[in-house]
Amino acid sequence: MTKTVEYIFDFAGPNGYLAWYPLKEIVERTGAKLVVTPVLLGGMHKLTGNSPPMMRDADVKGKVAYASLEFNRFLDRHGMTRFTIPKAFPFNSILLQRVLVAAADEEERQALVDALLPAVWERGLNCGDVDAVAAELAAAGFDAQRLLEATQGPEVKQRLIDNTEGAVARGTFGIPTYFVGEEMWFGKERLAQIEEYLGGGKP
Protein backbone atom coordinates (compact mmCIF):
# COMPACT_ATOMS: atom_id res chain seq x y z
CA MET A 1 0.00 0.00 0.00
CA THR A 2 1.30 3.46 -0.92
CA LYS A 3 2.07 5.57 2.15
CA THR A 4 1.01 9.21 2.32
CA VAL A 5 3.25 11.94 3.70
CA GLU A 6 1.25 14.90 4.97
CA TYR A 7 3.25 18.11 5.06
CA ILE A 8 2.00 20.68 7.57
CA PHE A 9 3.06 23.89 5.88
CA ASP A 10 3.19 27.67 6.11
CA PHE A 11 5.13 29.98 3.77
CA ALA A 12 6.12 32.04 6.82
CA GLY A 13 8.65 29.47 8.06
CA PRO A 14 12.05 29.48 6.32
CA ASN A 15 12.50 25.83 7.24
CA GLY A 16 9.36 25.15 5.24
CA TYR A 17 11.30 26.25 2.17
CA LEU A 18 14.36 24.21 3.08
CA ALA A 19 12.42 21.01 3.72
CA TRP A 20 10.13 21.18 0.67
CA TYR A 21 12.66 20.25 -2.00
CA PRO A 22 14.36 17.27 -0.32
CA LEU A 23 10.94 16.06 0.87
CA LYS A 24 9.71 15.94 -2.72
CA GLU A 25 12.79 13.93 -3.68
CA ILE A 26 12.14 11.47 -0.85
CA VAL A 27 8.53 11.03 -1.91
CA GLU A 28 9.65 10.34 -5.47
CA ARG A 29 12.33 7.84 -4.41
CA THR A 30 10.02 5.92 -2.10
CA GLY A 31 6.88 6.01 -4.23
CA ALA A 32 4.93 7.72 -1.46
CA LYS A 33 2.10 10.19 -1.96
CA LEU A 34 2.49 13.80 -0.79
CA VAL A 35 -0.32 16.02 0.50
CA VAL A 36 0.03 19.58 1.78
CA THR A 37 -2.01 20.91 4.70
CA PRO A 38 -1.86 24.73 4.88
CA VAL A 39 -1.86 26.15 8.41
CA LEU A 40 -1.05 29.45 10.11
CA LEU A 41 2.24 29.28 11.98
CA GLY A 42 1.36 32.38 14.02
CA GLY A 43 -1.91 30.80 15.10
CA MET A 44 -0.11 27.59 15.93
CA HIS A 45 2.33 29.48 18.14
CA LYS A 46 -0.55 31.14 20.00
CA LEU A 47 -2.29 27.82 20.57
CA THR A 48 0.84 26.02 21.76
CA GLY A 49 2.78 28.78 23.52
CA ASN A 50 5.66 28.28 21.05
CA SER A 51 7.70 31.10 19.49
CA PRO A 52 10.33 31.51 16.75
CA PRO A 53 13.70 30.00 17.75
CA MET A 54 15.58 33.29 17.42
CA MET A 55 13.24 34.74 20.05
CA ARG A 56 12.84 31.65 22.22
CA ASP A 57 16.57 30.93 22.40
CA ALA A 58 17.87 34.50 22.39
CA ASP A 59 19.16 34.28 25.96
CA VAL A 60 20.79 30.85 25.58
CA LYS A 61 24.48 31.44 25.01
CA GLY A 62 25.64 29.97 21.70
CA LYS A 63 22.33 28.37 20.68
CA VAL A 64 21.18 30.93 18.07
CA ALA A 65 24.65 31.00 16.52
CA TYR A 66 24.69 27.20 16.30
CA ALA A 67 21.21 27.13 14.77
CA SER A 68 22.46 29.55 12.12
CA LEU A 69 25.45 27.30 11.45
CA GLU A 70 23.21 24.26 10.97
CA PHE A 71 20.85 26.26 8.79
CA ASN A 72 23.65 27.27 6.46
CA ARG A 73 25.05 23.74 6.42
CA PHE A 74 21.66 22.51 5.20
CA LEU A 75 21.57 25.15 2.47
CA ASP A 76 25.04 24.16 1.34
CA ARG A 77 24.33 20.41 1.48
CA HIS A 78 21.31 20.77 -0.76
CA GLY A 79 22.73 23.42 -3.08
CA MET A 80 20.13 26.04 -2.16
CA THR A 81 22.15 28.98 -3.40
CA ARG A 82 19.23 31.31 -4.17
CA PHE A 83 17.72 31.37 -0.66
CA THR A 84 17.56 34.77 1.02
CA ILE A 85 15.81 36.10 4.12
CA PRO A 86 13.23 38.70 2.99
CA LYS A 87 13.68 42.25 4.24
CA ALA A 88 10.19 42.11 5.74
CA PHE A 89 10.87 39.05 7.90
CA PRO A 90 8.96 37.92 9.88
CA PHE A 91 5.90 38.51 7.71
CA ASN A 92 2.19 37.72 7.71
CA SER A 93 1.50 34.80 5.38
CA ILE A 94 -2.28 34.63 5.76
CA LEU A 95 -3.03 35.65 2.16
CA LEU A 96 -0.74 33.01 0.69
CA GLN A 97 -2.03 30.37 3.08
CA ARG A 98 -5.60 31.12 2.05
CA VAL A 99 -4.51 30.86 -1.59
CA LEU A 100 -3.29 27.32 -0.85
CA VAL A 101 -6.57 26.44 0.83
CA ALA A 102 -8.45 27.83 -2.18
CA ALA A 103 -6.60 25.55 -4.61
CA ALA A 104 -8.90 23.46 -6.79
CA ASP A 105 -7.17 20.21 -5.81
CA GLU A 106 -3.98 18.78 -4.36
CA GLU A 107 -2.13 19.00 -7.66
CA GLU A 108 -2.81 22.73 -7.93
CA ARG A 109 -1.95 23.24 -4.25
CA GLN A 110 1.50 21.71 -4.69
CA ALA A 111 2.03 23.64 -7.91
CA LEU A 112 1.25 26.81 -5.96
CA VAL A 113 3.85 25.89 -3.34
CA ASP A 114 6.37 25.26 -6.12
CA ALA A 115 5.63 28.65 -7.67
CA LEU A 116 5.36 30.80 -4.56
CA LEU A 117 8.20 29.43 -2.41
CA PRO A 118 10.89 30.88 -4.70
CA ALA A 119 8.92 34.12 -4.98
CA VAL A 120 8.94 34.50 -1.20
CA TRP A 121 12.32 33.07 -0.20
CA GLU A 122 14.42 33.89 -3.26
CA ARG A 123 12.88 37.09 -4.66
CA GLY A 124 11.39 38.66 -1.54
CA LEU A 125 7.72 38.77 -2.57
CA ASN A 126 5.65 41.07 -0.36
CA CYS A 127 3.14 38.50 0.85
CA GLY A 128 0.60 41.06 1.97
CA ASP A 129 0.53 42.98 -1.32
CA VAL A 130 -2.49 41.64 -3.19
CA ASP A 131 -1.37 43.12 -6.51
CA ALA A 132 2.13 41.65 -6.18
CA VAL A 133 0.71 38.24 -5.29
CA ALA A 134 -1.74 38.45 -8.19
CA ALA A 135 1.08 39.26 -10.60
CA GLU A 136 3.15 36.35 -9.30
CA LEU A 137 0.23 33.94 -9.65
CA ALA A 138 -0.60 35.12 -13.15
CA ALA A 139 3.03 34.89 -14.25
CA ALA A 140 3.08 31.27 -13.07
CA GLY A 141 -0.03 30.45 -15.10
CA PHE A 142 -2.66 30.41 -12.35
CA ASP A 143 -6.10 32.01 -12.37
CA ALA A 144 -5.15 34.77 -9.95
CA GLN A 145 -8.62 36.30 -9.86
CA ARG A 146 -10.29 33.00 -8.94
CA LEU A 147 -7.79 32.21 -6.20
CA LEU A 148 -7.69 35.68 -4.66
CA GLU A 149 -11.45 36.09 -4.69
CA ALA A 150 -11.74 32.74 -2.93
CA THR A 151 -9.39 33.89 -0.17
CA GLN A 152 -12.06 36.34 0.97
CA GLY A 153 -14.75 33.70 1.31
CA PRO A 154 -15.82 32.44 4.74
CA GLU A 155 -15.29 28.78 3.80
CA VAL A 156 -11.62 29.27 2.92
CA LYS A 157 -10.99 31.40 6.00
CA GLN A 158 -12.62 28.84 8.28
CA ARG A 159 -10.84 25.90 6.67
CA LEU A 160 -7.46 27.52 7.37
CA ILE A 161 -8.46 27.98 11.01
CA ASP A 162 -9.69 24.40 11.19
CA ASN A 163 -6.47 23.10 9.59
CA THR A 164 -4.40 24.97 12.17
CA GLU A 165 -6.43 23.84 15.15
CA GLY A 166 -6.57 20.29 13.83
CA ALA A 167 -2.81 20.14 13.36
CA VAL A 168 -2.22 21.40 16.91
CA ALA A 169 -4.68 18.83 18.26
CA ARG A 170 -2.55 16.13 16.62
CA GLY A 171 0.63 17.41 18.29
CA THR A 172 1.98 19.93 15.79
CA PHE A 173 3.78 22.95 17.26
CA GLY A 174 5.91 24.30 14.40
CA ILE A 175 6.99 24.16 10.77
CA PRO A 176 7.98 21.88 9.10
CA THR A 177 5.94 19.00 10.51
CA TYR A 178 5.15 15.77 8.70
CA PHE A 179 2.71 12.92 9.32
CA VAL A 180 2.71 9.42 7.90
CA GLY A 181 -0.49 8.02 9.32
CA GLU A 182 -0.33 8.76 13.05
CA GLU A 183 3.47 9.03 13.11
CA MET A 184 4.75 12.62 13.40
CA TRP A 185 8.14 14.16 12.72
CA PHE A 186 9.24 17.77 13.19
CA GLY A 187 12.10 19.64 11.55
CA LYS A 188 14.15 19.43 8.39
CA GLU A 189 16.67 17.30 10.28
CA ARG A 190 14.14 14.42 10.40
CA LEU A 191 13.89 13.95 6.64
CA ALA A 192 16.25 10.97 6.62
CA GLN A 193 14.16 9.32 9.34
CA ILE A 194 11.02 9.78 7.26
CA GLU A 195 12.68 8.19 4.25
CA GLU A 196 13.81 5.24 6.37
CA TYR A 197 10.29 4.82 7.74
CA LEU A 198 8.76 4.93 4.26
CA GLY A 199 11.20 2.18 3.30
CA GLY A 200 9.96 -0.06 6.09
CA GLY A 201 12.07 1.11 9.03
CA LYS A 202 10.91 2.05 12.49
CA PRO A 203 9.71 5.59 13.23
Side-chain angles (χ1 to χ4, degrees), residues 31-194:
K33 178 183 177 182
L34 177 64
V35 298
V36 174
T37 298
V39 299
L40 274 179
L41 180 58
M44 188 179 297
H45 282 172
K46 288 180 181 179
L47 290 169
T48 61
N50 198 7
S51 60
M54 73 283 283
M55 296 171 57
R56 185 182 66 240
D57 300 331
D59 295 329
V60 181
K61 182 176 176 61
K63 192 168 184 180
V64 172
Y66 180 76
S68 178
L69 174 63
E70 283 292 281
F71 192 92
N72 284 294
R73 281 174 175 165
F74 192 96
L75 290 173
D76 184 61
R77 186 182 314 125
H78 294 280
M80 297 177 178
T81 58
R82 295 185 295 274
F83 175 86
T84 59
I85 297 291
K87 293 180 180 178
F89 179 74
F91 52 83
N92 188 331
S93 63
I94 192 167
L95 177 61
L96 297 191
Q97 294 306 104
R98 288 176 177 169
V99 166
L100 290 186
V101 172
D105 53 29
E106 184 61 30
E107 182 179 1
E108 183 177 54
R109 183 170 296 112
Q110 292 185 33
L112 285 163
V113 175
D114 277 330
L116 293 173
L117 268 181
V120 174
W121 291 105
E122 296 174 13
R123 301 193 299 275
L125 173 68
N126 182 344
C127 301
D129 185 329
V130 176
D131 291 336
V133 172
E136 198 69 46
L137 290 170
F142 296 100
D143 185 341
Q145 182 176 353
R146 169 178 64 83
L147 289 165
L148 289 171
E149 285 181 355
T151 65
Q152 300 309 302
E155 290 185 5
V156 166
K157 292 179 179 180
Q158 188 60 50
R159 201 179 323 155
L160 183 57
I161 293 171
D162 292 345
N163 282 357
T164 303
E165 292 178 347
V168 169
R170 295 161 66 195
T172 306
F173 52 85
I175 301 295
T177 296
Y178 330 81
F179 285 92
V180 181
E182 297 303 314
E183 296 292 342
M184 185 185 98
W185 289 263
F186 169 74
K188 62 187 182 297
E189 300 82 3
R190 305 294 177 263
L191 287 165
Q193 294 178 12
I194 295 170

